[in-house]
């Protein structure tokens, strides 16, 4: 059972993990920033930056039916791409694929969290290492980060084979990269946020850390080094994807 304390009251910037953490922060925060570095929010940053509207949707066959209903293209698994369906969760693939007006982008973690958070009516931002400074500037410019309008940062994490949450260091680092840009311009960090930020400060080489993480190594072993490389490029994007009316577009 959870209570008010689980929403980290009294802090302008708060930090949690996964779907349950997002649900908890949504009870008290004015805006949510979801971070799934490898690869959902990195893919969203690239697709939205190219002019596509991105619809988050849970992973599974129903994504194809949903895309057909709304007249959108649908992303497939990395290994399932064809010339007719060149869109996938791979950021590298999305950087090269044809631009379409609407793209349904399913994923098992970040996309699920974003879709659920959208139902709360809160503004939801897709954050990553690529757009961390831009996201922080937007949050500050919108007046978020005080105890009256707190920011909830959600690290998506990954899944163990039994379906339980596996905290993923790349998502913690991505969320902390945004926190790092917020320090001094917003209210106090919760203890959870401060601990995440302290870990970020102790990493001298973000790219090396993410390449060496479990998630990074899995993608490298599966033959997708470009996805990891693109995700590690800190601060190269000015895109701030905002989820409204069921789709991410430029804020």
């Amino acid at each position: 059972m959870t209570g008010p304390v689980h929403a980290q009251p009294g802090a302008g910037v708060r930090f949690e993990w996964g779907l349950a953490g997002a649900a908890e922060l949504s009870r008290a925060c004015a805006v949510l920033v979801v971070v799934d570095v490898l690869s959902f929010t990195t893919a969203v940053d690239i697709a939205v930056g190219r002019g596509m509207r991105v619809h988050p949707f849970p992973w599974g066959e129903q994504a194809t039916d949903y895309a057909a209903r709304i007249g959108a293209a649908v992303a497939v698994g990395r290994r399932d791409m064809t010339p007719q369906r060149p869109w996938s969760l791979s950021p590298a693939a999305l950087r090269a694929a044809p631009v379409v007006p609407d793209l349904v982008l399913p994923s098992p973690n970040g996309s699920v969290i974003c879709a659920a958070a959208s139902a709360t009516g809160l503004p939801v931002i897709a954050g990553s290492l690529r757009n961390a400074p831009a996201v922080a500037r937007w949050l500050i410019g919108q007046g978020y980060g005080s105890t009256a309008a707190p920011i909830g940062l959600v690290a998506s994490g990954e899944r163990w084979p039994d379906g339980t949450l596996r905290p993923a260091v790349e998502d913690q680092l991505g969320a902390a990269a945004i926190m790092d840009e917020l320090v001094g311009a917003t209210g106090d960090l919760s203890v959870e946020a401060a601990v995440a930020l302290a870990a970020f400060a102790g990493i001298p080489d973000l790219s090396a850390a993410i390449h060496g993480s479990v998630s990074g190594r899995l993608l490298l072993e599966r033959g997708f080094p470009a996805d990891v490389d693109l995700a590690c490029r800190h601060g190269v994007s000015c895109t701030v994807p905002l989820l409204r009316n069921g789709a991410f577009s430029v804020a």
Side-chain angles (χ1 to χ4, degrees), residues 56-83:
F57 200 82
W59 193 262
E61 294 181 1
Q62 291 183 344
T64 300
D65 295 336
Y66 175 71
R69 287 200 304 273
I70 66 171
V74 61
V76 297
R78 281 179 169 89
R79 298 189 185 281
D80 296 326
M81 291 188 300
T82 66

Side-chain angles (χ1 to χ4, degrees), residues 19 22 30 43 71 75 85 87 95 108-109 150 173 181 187 189 202 217 226-227:
L19 184 62
R85 302 184 79 176
W87 308 278
R95 190 173 65 163
N109 299 299
L173 291 173
E181 302 284 343
L189 275 65
R217 291 170 67 180
D227 287 348

Side-chain angles (χ1 to χ4, degrees), residues 15 153 171-181 193 196-201:
F15 174 72
L153 284 151
D171 294 341
Q172 179 172 330
L173 291 173
I178 298 170
M179 295 177 210
D180 189 52
E181 302 284 343
L197 182 58
F200 175 83

Side-chain angles (χ1 to χ4, degrees), residues 162-234:
D162 66 359
T164 57
L165 175 71
R166 175 175 71 79
V169 295
E170 69 276 5
D171 294 341
Q172 179 172 330
L173 291 173
I178 298 170
M179 295 177 210
D180 189 52
E181 302 284 343
L182 294 171
V183 171
T186 60
D188 291 337
L189 275 65
S190 69
V191 171
E192 290 76 10
V195 170
L197 182 58
F200 175 83
I203 300 295
D205 188 333
L206 287 173
S207 181
I210 292 174
H211 277 79
S213 70
V214 170
S215 302
R217 291 170 67 180
L218 283 171
L219 280 177
L220 293 172
E221 290 175 2
R222 292 170 182 170
F224 299 99
D227 287 348
V228 186
D229 293 340
L230 286 171
C232 291
R233 298 186 64 191
H234 183 204

Side-chain angles (χ1 to χ4, degrees), residues 139-169:
L139 292 167
I140 293 167
Q142 295 295 312
Y144 296 119
S146 66
T147 54
I151 299 164
L153 284 151
V154 181
S156 296
E158 298 290 345
R159 294 285 172 182
W160 290 110
D162 66 359
T164 57
L165 175 71
R166 175 175 71 79
V169 295

